Structure formats: structure tokens, C-alpha cells
Amino acid sequence: AQKVTQAQTEISVVEKEDVTLDCVYETRDTTYYLFWYKQPPSGELVFLIRRNSFDEQNEISGRYSWNFQKSTSSFNFTITASQVVDSAVYFCALSEAISSGSARQLTFGSGTQLTVLP
Amino acid sequence: DGGITQSPKYLFRKEGQNVTLSCEQNLNHDAMYWYRQDPGQGLRLIYYSQIVNDFQKGDIAEGYSVSREKKESFPLTVTSAQKNPTAFYLCASSISSGVDSNQPQHFGDGTRLSIL
């Protein structure tokens, strides 16, 4: 069975600190996709990034960066110089095939609640 | 602006009552999904639809029903058979859901359902 584990339930940091959110996944698919979503207090999920299993190049986008390591099945997310507005629940998700030759579904981790204190 | 609209934002259900959650998208996406989120947990898939007039059960379909008569709309009915319906419900859509698709899912603002 495919699984996404976010071991950190809650993290609190002080503004301007760097913070890394961990994500470990399990899959038997050879082709898969990984996503990070942010859920602010308002409730909607906001798409942040996707990575496919063939692309291990790490990415930086502004204050956000992602570290994908296939050898350890990890897809970690780092926020540099955190801000109060970064406070939210962050979900890692794995895209898997629902059935042979059919659709894909997202399997979500349980989320990490990030609180950035002023 | 293009997006996904869920209504209502808050919904209350009486014992033995069916209620329907609305989800409309104007993104011209083929695939639509319904998820349930319980406190402190990730999202679990209830139903999904790849095209109009077709839908499939997800991981926790019991006590729920859906329809997909129009591309833009994917309403979810929470039936009286769902004994623990209190949760946050999120609707999503994506360009396609094919096996080679890596398209991200876009989400609505959610509906919070509670039991009276």
C-alpha cells in the first residue's frame, strides 16, 4: 500500500528562522508524483509544488525550497526566513494509480501544523 | 476569475436527513474529486469522476453518493447511512486524471458539515 508520513505533527518557530518540514513516502509505482499543499486557517488547499519521480533536481522558489531524494524516499520542504503569514498546515501528497490503466489519486500525509511566532 | 466554488460554507444535518454539498468549477477541468478531512488528519478520497456521466468510489464512499451530469458540477450527497458525517469536505478538480497525469488538483474553500 502507498503511504505518506509526515512525522512532525506541529512545529513552532520564531519569525525569520528557517524551518524544514519532513515527508517520507512509500510506493511500488516506478512513475509517481509528489506534491506539497498549504492549508491556511481559511481552509482551502493551495498547491505549492509538484515533482515527478524522474526529476531529482532540487528547486528553490523565493523563500521556499524542496529537497527530493529518491534513495531515502523523502521530499522535504524548507521555508527560509519564515514569516507569520507562513503559519498553516502543510500537506505532502503522493500521486498513485487508482487501478491499472486508470486514474491517479492523491494520498495525503496527516499534515504538519506550522506556527510562526512574531 | 476561474476557480472552484463550494457551497454552503457551513451546513448542519439532522439525524436521518440527507444533505447535498455543491461543487462547481469553471476551469474546464475533466476530473473532479471529493475529499473528507477530519481534525488532525490528511484528506481521504470519497468519490472521483474522470468525465461527465462517470464516477468511481474512493477509499471511503460508504454513506455518500455523487452525480456528474455536467462537466462543471459534481455534487456530493451525505446520506443518513453515513453515521459520522461531521467533517470538513473539500472538492477538487484537475485537467485530467489519466495514469500519466501529473496535473495538480485545485481545491475549493470547503464545506464544514456538523450534526445537530
Side-chain angles (χ1 to χ4, degrees), chain A residues 33 35 37 39 41-45 47 50 52 91 95 97-99 101-106 108-111, chain B residues 9 33 35 37 40-43 45 48 50 59 88 90 97-109:
Chain A
Y33 304 94
F35 300 79
Y37 283 86
Q39 186 178 40
S42 51
E44 80 278 14
L45 262 73
F47 164 69
R50 88 178 149 241
N52 72 53
F91 290 99
S95 177
I98 295 175
S99 59
S102 183
R104 287 187 168 268
Q105 80 170 70
L106 284 180
F108 285 83
S110 55
Chain B
K9 196 170 180 68
Y33 313 80
Y35 291 91
Q37 184 179 22
Q41 296 188 34
L43 280 66
L45 183 66
Y48 67 98
Q50 294 178 262
D59 297 325
F88 188 53
L90 283 158
S97 64
V99 67
D100 294 323
S101 171
N102 66 347
Q103 297 303 319
Q105 293 181 15
H106 298 267
F107 287 80
D109 290 345

Side-chain angles (χ1 to χ4, degrees), chain B:
Chain B
D1 286 347
I4 301 174
T5 302
Q6 288 187 244
S7 62
K9 196 170 180 68
Y10 299 95
L11 186 58
F12 298 92
R13 195 192 89 168
K14 295 180 182 178
E15 292 288 340
Q17 186 182 43
N18 293 353
V19 292
T20 297
L21 285 60
S22 170
C23 179
E24 303 278 331
Q25 55 99 358
N26 60 4
L27 299 166
N28 200 33
H29 285 173
D30 286 320
M32 297 187 74
Y33 313 80
W34 273 106
Y35 291 91
R36 170 182 171 136
Q37 184 179 22
D38 292 285
Q41 296 188 34
L43 280 66
R44 292 182 291 167
L45 183 66
I46 305 172
Y47 268 98
Y48 67 98
S49 168
Q50 294 178 262
I51 56 172
V52 175
N53 293 323
D54 179 69
F55 50 83
Q56 304 295 329
K57 293 182 180 180
D59 297 325
I60 55 166
E62 187 174 348
Y64 300 97
S65 66
V66 293
S67 63
R68 187 87 187 275
E69 296 176 4
K70 298 186 299 181
K71 188 175 186 177
E72 304 81 21
S73 178
F74 191 41
L76 172 75
T77 296
V78 184
T79 74
S80 57
Q82 173 49 246
K83 298 306 179 188
N84 184 25
T86 298
F88 188 53
Y89 291 86
L90 283 158
C91 178
S93 71
S94 63
I95 292 174
S96 68
S97 64
V99 67
D100 294 323
S101 171
N102 66 347
Q103 297 303 319
Q105 293 181 15
H106 298 267
F107 287 80
D109 290 345
T111 293
R112 200 166 296 279
L113 176 62
S114 302
I115 292 291
L116 282 179

Side-chain angles (χ1 to χ4, degrees), chain A residues 19-91:
Chain A
V19 57
T20 295
L21 309 182
D22 298 332
C23 173
V24 175
Y25 62 92
E26 296 174 27
T27 180
R28 282 186 235 169
D29 282 0
T30 53
T31 300
Y32 53 89
Y33 304 94
L34 293 160
F35 300 79
W36 274 97
Y37 283 86
K38 172 182 178 180
Q39 186 178 40
S42 51
E44 80 278 14
L45 262 73
V46 178
F47 164 69
L48 296 177
I49 191 172
R50 88 178 149 241
R51 263 289 171 267
N52 72 53
S53 51
F54 295 106
D55 181 6
E56 289 193 68
Q57 187 173 19
N58 295 316
E59 180 170 335
I60 297 174
S61 175
R63 294 185 299 108
Y64 297 165
S65 62
W66 290 270
N67 185 349
F68 174 35
Q69 293 195 353
K70 208 167 174 179
S71 60
T72 56
S73 297
S74 65
F75 185 44
N76 298 336
F77 170 41
T78 297
I79 302 175
T80 304
S82 60
Q83 300 175 1
V84 173
V85 294
D86 295 328
S87 297
V89 181
Y90 290 83
F91 290 99

